[in-house]
Amino acid sequence: RVYAEDPLRGFLPAIGKLSRYVLPDTETGKDTIVRVDTGVEEGSEISIFYDPMIAKLITYGPDRNAAIAAMRKALDSYIIRGVVCNINFVRDVMDNEKFLAGDVTTNFIAENYPSPPGFTGHKLTESEGRELCAIASILHMQHAQQAKILLPPEGSHVAGKQTVGRAALVGVMSPNNVMGDAELVVEISGAGMEEPLTIPLSVAAMRPKLGDVISTSFEVRMDGAPSLKMHAALPSVAGLYEVSYKQLNEDADAAPLGAVLA
C-alpha cells in the first residue's frame, strides 16, 4: 500500500498537493502483471480529512521471487512528488532477508525496524553506491552534451545530412569513437547514510547512435572495481532513464539496473 506518510518520522501522515504523479508501467508481461488501484491524479490534494492511502500496488508472477522482482521495478519507477510517501520504506522491505524468506508476521516492522530509531532509510551496499555514482556520471555527461546542442537554421546541413528542425550535436570525436571524457568526483548523501559517499571516477561518452543527438553509451572506470560499459536510453516522457550495464570483460547482455529519475 502506497501511503502519504513519512516512514522516517514514525509513519506520520502527510498532506499536500501531488505536484508530480506518474504511475509505473502496468503493461502485462509474459509472466508478470503489474496493477495499480488508485483514486488520485497529478494535482490532487492529500488532506487531513481522508485516509492518506494513495494507491494499492499489486504485482503477480509465476513465483514469489518473480513477483517481488516486478514489485521492485514498479516501485523504482513510481514517481510521487509534492507529498511525502512510504515508497522508500516498502522498497527497502523488498530487499529484507526475512521478507524474502517469507518470514513475515504482524510484528514485522517492530522486529526489523525497532524504534528508536525505526526506519532510517535504505543502507547502500558498496556495489549499490558504485552503481549510483556511475549512473550520476553518465547522466552528467548527457546533460553536458545537451548544453552544447545548437539548432541550425531550417534546411541547413551538418556532416552532409539535412537537419531540418532537428538538433545537431557539434563535437570532434577521437579515432576510438569517444565523443568526450571527464575525470569526476561523485558524492552521494541522504537518509540512511552516516556520511557522504565520495568516489572519483573517469567516464567516456561514446559516439551517439544514428538518429540520436547525444550519447547513450559510456565507459566508466573506478579504482578497485571492474570497469563498466553502460547504456542510458534517452529519457521517457515521464523523465525516466532506463539504465543498464555490464563489465567490460563480459560477453553477456547488459543487466538492467532499473529506472532512474534524472
Side-chain angles (χ1 to χ4, degrees):
R1 297 190 178 199
V2 179
Y3 269 87
E5 61 185 14
D6 190 350
L8 297 175
R9 300 178 61 200
F11 300 94
L12 287 175
I15 59 174
K17 182 178 181 179
L18 293 171
S19 59
R20 190 88 189 280
Y21 187 65
V22 181
L23 299 176
D25 187 1
T26 56
E27 289 188 9
T28 301
K30 181 180 178 182
D31 299 317
T32 59
I33 297 174
V34 178
R35 171 178 163 180
V36 184
D37 292 347
T38 185
V40 299
E41 60 186 11
E42 196 166 293
S44 293
E45 291 277 352
I46 306 297
S47 74
I48 62 174
F49 302 108
Y50 300 96
D51 185 274
M53 186 170 69
I54 296 173
K56 290 181 180 179
L57 178 60
I58 306 105
T59 57
Y60 168 84
D63 55 42
R64 178 178 173 82
N65 289 337
I68 290 174
M71 180 63 76
R72 287 187 182 123
K73 185 174 182 180
L75 289 169
D76 285 345
S77 58
Y78 204 153
I79 305 174
I80 299 176
R81 297 290 183 269
V83 178
V84 177
C85 70
N86 66 338
I87 282 183
N88 57 345
F89 171 73
V90 291
R91 180 59 179 84
D92 193 72
V93 170
M94 293 301 108
D95 291 332
N96 183 278
E97 292 183 1
K98 287 190 175 181
F99 176 81
L100 295 176
D103 184 8
V104 181
T105 70
T106 54
N107 290 323
F108 178 83
I109 294 179
E111 292 172 351
N112 292 273
Y113 303 94
S115 182
F119 176 68
T120 57
H122 177 68
K123 304 296 189 297
L124 285 177
T125 65
E126 182 178 352
S127 62
E128 288 173 340
R130 290 184 179 277
E131 287 174 357
L132 283 177
C133 288
I135 291 169
S137 72
I138 66 177
L139 297 187
H140 168 81
M141 294 293 283
Q142 282 192 334
H143 293 167
Q145 287 183 353
Q146 287 174 327
K148 296 179 181 179
I149 289 176
L150 56 85
L151 295 173
E154 191 77 9
S156 67
H157 290 70
V158 173
K161 295 184 180 180
Q162 192 172 14
T163 60
V164 187
R166 294 190 62 188
L169 181 65
V170 177
V172 179
M173 290 178 293
S174 65
N176 60 356
N177 289 333
V178 174
M179 176 65 75
D181 53 21
E183 299 289 332
L184 303 173
V185 176
V186 182
E187 180 178 290
I188 298 176
S189 61
M193 301 185 67
E194 295 181 356
E195 57 184 29
L197 173 66
T198 303
I199 294 182
L201 54 79
S202 61
V203 55
M206 313 309 289
R207 179 173 60 182
K209 297 185 301 182
L210 183 64
D212 289 344
V213 294
I214 62 175
S215 301
T216 56
S217 294
F218 304 83
E219 291 184 5
V220 180
R221 302 178 185 277
M222 291 174 275
D223 290 340
S227 299
L228 301 176
K229 185 175 181 64
M230 307 190 72
H231 176 80
L234 298 181
S236 66
V237 175
L240 290 175
Y241 290 77
E242 191 76 22
V243 179
S244 59
Y245 80 102
K246 64 179 179 181
Q247 293 183 11
L248 283 176
N249 60 351
E250 291 182 346
D251 296 325
D253 292 337
L257 285 176
V260 182
L261 181 63

